[in-house]
Amino acid sequence: MEILVKENNYKIDIEYKEDKKLRDYLLKNEEAKFLVITDENVFNLYEKRLKKIMNGLNYFIYKFPAGEKSKSMENYININKFLLENNFNRGDLIVAFGGGVVGDISGFVASTYLRGIDFISVPTTLLSMIDSSVGGKNGINFMNLKNQIGSFYFPKYVHIDYSFLESLDERNINNGLAEIFKYSVLKDKDFFDYLKSSKDLDYEKVIYKSLNIKLEFVKDDERDKGKRQKLNLGHTIGHGIESLSNYKLNHGESIGIGTIYMARASYKLGLAKDNFYKDLISAYENHKLPTHYDFDTEEILEILKHDKKIKNNLINVIIPVKIGEVINKKMDFNELRKLIELGKDDE
Ligand code: NAD
């Protein structure tokens, strides 16, 4: 399957064990040098496959330790040094081969080296396939702040091959799955029903649907000023939960719980006409996603006070009113406190 992102002029292919298509794309730039950026896990798993894809091309591989810590200024500088030392110029290309960490730092390097060189994204985690590889956001963490430095910059081509998911562990699958559920709650009740009732997901369909929903929200609002913010459903409480759990719950799991709490609060406030939050809980349980986390509301509020999205003491919260529809509400911390309390599981 393919998706054309006309606004930003790139193509996304969704394939299964289709390395030839990627290779054919790279061969179109036969004269260029390539820097494949990856992490050590992905490299160890896919070294042979990667080298076969790149065979005959003029390429280098740059790998770093897996994990969020590698989204650092130091790593950014080292990759730039490597590019410079190997005489990369404007006609050369970067290939991001890995999960969201690889994608975020590679895109940022590509956007700034020589004021921007082309890059191709080959996401290998479910989260990066359905989220970080499209939408144009890149970045690194700085002074302990996530994505504090970055850019909006789009790849030339995104090659998604969901056969890479076969080596991904359950936690990382869940991380992506919770974001997929989020897309369905934002926009598509049929998609939600499909996710809820299917044990073995058809990844081609799921990735295609997810990306189309994300792209619809990103379209005309790349810089996150309006409708793109709806993609933050579940994130307000979710960020707090992720941090309070000391990252025992991952990002996806935390925003999944955040979405349930918002849906429950929405019902209790009368914004939602029915108690669809119960559907959410049973759907998440079907896929072994967590649905509950005990926390102290004041502790969450303390964490949220440092959220970079707060303006004039108001925080923008996304509230689902039914499956397939959400609303935006700006509120102060007293209102947010009430909302969080209402969202708690008191049955
Ligand atoms: P990740 O890149 O750290 O990958 C998770 C783990 O899976 C790593 O240990 C990695 O080595 C391993 N891995 C990758 N592919 C594998 C495979 N095929 N088989 C086995 N193991 C594999 O994390 P992630 O969850 O992919 O992405 C998280 C990052 O993405 C965060 O830094 C987050 O800020 C960022 N993000 C960015 C955007 C955006 O729009 N730019 C959106 C969402 C998330």
Side-chain angles (χ1 to χ4, degrees):
M1 277 189 188
E2 72 172 37
I3 301 175
L4 291 172
V5 188
K6 287 199 205 86
E7 303 76 37
N8 309 105
N9 194 27
Y10 65 97
K11 188 172 86 139
I12 305 168
D13 276 324
I14 306 167
E15 304 288 348
Y16 182 78
K17 290 199 175 153
E18 235 328 332
D19 293 347
K20 188 175 174 302
K21 215 169 196 168
L22 173 58
R23 189 173 156 74
D24 286 348
Y25 185 92
L26 300 175
L27 281 170
K28 282 195 230 155
N29 301 279
E30 217 173 352
E31 306 301 310
K33 280 203 284 282
F34 294 87
L35 181 64
V36 181
I37 301 178
T38 188
D39 73 25
E40 284 165 4
N41 286 346
V42 177
F43 179 78
N44 291 337
L45 283 164
Y46 292 109
E47 178 179 358
K48 248 193 176 160
R49 189 165 164 188
L50 175 64
K51 289 187 170 163
K52 210 169 153 201
I53 294 168
M54 302 304 296
N55 186 30
L57 290 161
N58 184 4
Y59 74 97
F60 299 78
I61 294 175
Y62 189 97
K63 58 181 192 297
F64 49 71
E68 188 68 28
K69 280 212 174 81
S70 287
K71 251 173 76 173
S72 66
M73 184 57 88
E74 191 194 357
N75 200 17
Y76 168 76
I77 291 172
N78 289 338
I79 300 172
N80 276 290
K81 273 190 189 154
F82 189 92
L83 288 166
L84 182 61
E85 280 162 9
N86 290 290
N87 300 315
F88 272 69
N89 63 40
R90 281 239 174 93
D92 298 329
L93 283 107
I94 286 177
V95 180
F97 182 60
V101 165
V102 167
D104 274 12
I105 193 165
S106 305
F108 184 46
V109 169
S111 71
T112 48
Y113 182 75
L114 294 175
R115 298 201 178 93
I117 64 173
D118 288 348
F119 86 106
I120 292 161
S121 182
V122 186
T124 61
T125 61
L126 185 55
L127 182 84
S128 56
M129 291 178 191
I130 54 100
D131 191 353
S132 56
S133 64
V134 306
K137 286 187 181 179
N138 311 292
I140 55 172
N141 305 326
F142 186 61
M143 307 274 281
N144 269 331
L145 294 166
K146 233 177 116 69
N147 304 324
Q148 186 67 13
I149 297 182
S151 57
F152 289 93
Y153 192 71
F154 293 85
K156 281 283 169 253
Y157 174 50
V158 181
H159 182 86
I160 298 175
D161 190 321
Y162 55 92
S163 69
F164 288 119
L165 299 178
E166 284 161 11
S167 55
L168 201 63
D169 59 28
E170 192 179 329
R171 288 298 303 289
N172 275 301
I173 291 285
N174 280 356
N175 201 19
L177 195 55
E179 294 277 0
I180 292 169
F181 266 113
K182 180 198 77 179
Y183 290 133
S184 74
V185 175
L186 280 174
K187 200 70 203 166
D188 193 330
K189 169 93 166 71
D190 289 344
F191 186 31
F192 176 81
D193 290 340
Y194 165 76
L195 294 170
K196 183 182 168 185
S197 58
S198 313
K199 274 262 175 266
D200 288 317
L201 296 176
D202 171 351
Y203 278 118
E204 186 169 18
K205 168 179 169 154
V206 163
I207 294 166
Y208 181 79
K209 281 240 167 229
S210 298
L211 289 179
N212 274 306
I213 295 174
K214 172 157 184 178
L215 288 165
E216 209 179 304
F217 283 96
V218 170
K219 201 173 150 197
D220 307 323
D221 184 26
E222 280 148 21
R223 286 176 184 262
D224 231 346
K225 301 221 162 38
K227 65 178 175 177
R228 185 171 186 162
Q229 290 175 5
K230 291 193 170 158
L231 293 170
N232 285 332
L233 172 64
H235 282 60
T236 309
I237 299 185
H239 275 153
I241 291 177
E242 190 180 359
S243 148
L244 281 180
S245 78
N246 275 327
Y247 298 89
K248 284 202 185 75
L249 289 172
N250 63 33
H251 180 74
E253 291 168 335
S254 308
I255 66 118
I257 297 172
T259 304
I260 291 173
Y261 279 47
M262 281 295 139
R264 192 187 280 115
S266 175
Y267 174 61
K268 290 190 190 162
L269 276 172
L271 293 168
K273 287 195 188 65
D274 61 32
N275 57 0
F276 73 87
Y277 72 88
K278 292 194 172 169
D279 281 344
L280 281 182
I281 293 175
S282 66
Y284 285 27
E285 281 171 348
N286 281 350
H287 288 276
K288 296 201 201 110
L289 288 169
T291 57
H292 175 84
Y293 184 75
D294 272 324
F295 59 82
D296 175 357
T297 302
E298 295 311 313
E299 281 185 323
I300 290 257
L301 289 173
E302 199 44 49
I303 292 170
L304 295 181
K305 280 185 185 146
H306 304 289
D307 194 304
K308 55 184 170 215
K309 294 189 189 84
I310 296 171
K311 269 196 199 125
N312 305 326
N313 276 328
L314 292 176
I315 187 159
N316 188 29
V317 183
I318 313 299
I319 304 175
V321 291
K322 62 182 188 190
I323 290 176
E325 192 180 331
V326 297
I327 55 169
N328 245 342
K329 249 183 179 306
K330 280 204 187 356
M331 54 180 74
D332 62 24
F333 274 82
N334 282 329
E335 287 172 281
L336 182 61
R337 177 180 288 113
K338 271 188 224 145
L339 195 75
I340 295 176
E341 282 295 314
L342 281 175
K344 283 190 174 174
D345 183 1
D346 53 8
E347 284 144 37

